[in-house]
Amino acid sequence: MSRTKTSKAWLQEHVNDHYVHQAQKDGYRSRAAYKLLEINEKDKLLKPGYWVADLGAAPGSWSQVAKRLVGQQGRVFALDILEMDPLPGVEFVQGDFREEETLTRFTELLQGRLVDLAICDIAPNISGMAVIDQARSFHLCELALDFCRDYLKPGGHFLVKTFQGSGYTEFIQQMRSEFASVLTRKPAASRDRSNEIYLLGKGKK
Ligand SMILES: C[S@@+](CC[C@H](N)C(=O)[O-])C[C@H]1O[C@@H](n2cnc3c(N)ncnc32)[C@H](O)[C@@H]1O
C-alpha cells in the first residue's frame, strides 16, 4: 500500500474509532485513557493517596486518569520529551528520558520519597525499520525499569508498554528479577493489529 493510502486508512480508522469518540465525550486527551482504565479495573493499580510516576505522559490521558483516581491526597508526576498542556494537580517535566539531566529534574520533584506506582507508555518515534524501533523501545523500557529500581517503593507495581518481537523475552526476564510476578495485559483499546503489549510487574522485590 502507498504511504498516502496508509495514512488515509489510518485517518479513516481513527475517525471511526469508538474510543476516540468516547475520549472526546469523557474529556480525555487521548483514547489511550481506556487502556489504563481497563487494566486498572482488573488490577486495581491506582489508589487514593498514591504517588504515581507517568513516564512518556503526553498528551496526558493517563495522567488525567491517574490524578482522578489518586485524588487530592495523591500526586502525579509526569514526564515527556514533548510539551504537555498543563493538567490540574499534575506536576510535569519536559525532557528526554534518556538524559541524566531530565531524570534529575524529574526525581527532584519527589523530594526523596519513593512512588507507589510507575506507569510507562513511552513509544519512541517510529523510523519504520523494525529492528531499530524495537531496540529503541526496549532501551526506554530498560531505563524505566532502572527508574523503578531507584524510585519505586518495595511492593510497588510497574506497568510498561512493550512491543512483542526481538528483546521481548529478555525484557520479561529482567522484569521477573525485580518483581514478585509479571503479567501481560492487552486491553481492548489496544488495536489487534498492533504488537504492543503491556507488562505489569507486581510487587517490587
Ligand atoms: C503513546 S504516547 C503516550 C500517551 C499517554 N500515555 C497518554 O495517555 O496521553 C508516547 C509518548 O512517549 C513520549 N516519548 C518518546 N520518547 C521519549 C523520550 N525519549 N523521553 C520522554 N518521552 C518520550 C512521546 O513524546 C509520546 O508523548
Side-chain angles (χ1 to χ4, degrees):
M1 206 189 287
S2 75
R3 260 180 107 83
T4 324
K5 274 192 186 154
T6 313
S7 348
K8 270 191 193 153
W10 180 87
L11 192 63
Q12 200 58 50
E13 183 181 72
H14 192 72
V15 168
N16 293 333
D17 188 322
H18 154 73
Y19 291 105
V20 171
H21 292 290
Q22 198 58 42
Q24 282 161 358
K25 266 200 213 150
D26 294 344
Y28 288 122
R29 290 181 176 178
S30 104
R31 67 192 294 294
Y34 301 99
K35 301 180 191 176
L36 180 59
L37 282 165
E38 185 182 322
I39 296 170
N40 186 62
E41 181 70 26
K42 191 179 177 80
D43 295 291
K44 314 282 182 265
L45 302 177
L46 288 153
K47 305 221 165 100
Y50 267 17
W51 282 30
V52 179
D54 182 4
L55 308 170
S61 71
W62 278 26
S63 285
Q64 288 179 293
V65 169
K67 184 60 198 158
R68 186 164 65 71
L69 295 173
V70 301
Q72 286 304 319
Q73 304 306 317
R75 287 174 73 175
V76 176
F77 305 92
L79 178 152
D80 204 285
I81 196 166
L82 299 178
E83 274 181 39
M84 184 166 102
D85 288 339
L87 278 171
V90 174
E91 294 157 75
F92 177 67
V93 162
Q94 184 180 2
D96 188 335
F97 187 51
R98 293 165 298 184
E99 290 175 5
E100 198 59 40
E101 178 267 336
T102 305
L103 186 65
T104 304
R105 279 189 292 129
F106 188 63
T107 53
E108 272 170 7
L109 294 176
L110 304 177
Q111 296 172 315
R113 200 177 134 167
L114 303 178
V115 298
D116 301 284
L117 173 70
I119 52 181
C120 176
D121 198 24
I122 283 190
N125 275 342
I126 299 299
S127 73
M129 292 168 78
V131 181
I132 292 176
D133 292 336
Q134 190 74 3
R136 282 186 185 152
S137 169
F138 277 113
H139 177 52
L140 287 161
C141 291
E142 281 168 6
L143 292 177
L145 187 56
D146 284 347
F147 172 87
C148 291
R149 283 189 193 103
D150 294 336
Y151 300 102
L152 177 66
K153 274 185 186 169
H157 306 327
F158 171 45
L159 177 68
V160 58
K161 172 159 68 191
T162 65
F163 295 93
Q164 279 170 300
S166 161
Y168 177 72
T169 313
E170 291 79 359
F171 186 67
I172 290 196
Q173 290 307 333
Q174 291 184 51
M175 290 274 291
R176 287 204 176 115
S177 65
E178 305 291 333
F179 291 90
S181 62
V182 178
L183 308 165
T184 54
R185 295 286 178 255
K186 178 80 178 171
S190 177
R191 293 184 169 107
D192 285 341
R193 63 174 165 70
S194 161
N195 65 350
E196 87 177 4
I197 187 146
Y198 289 84
L199 294 181
L200 174 59
K202 283 188 131 177
K204 186 189 159 192
K205 292 178 184 168

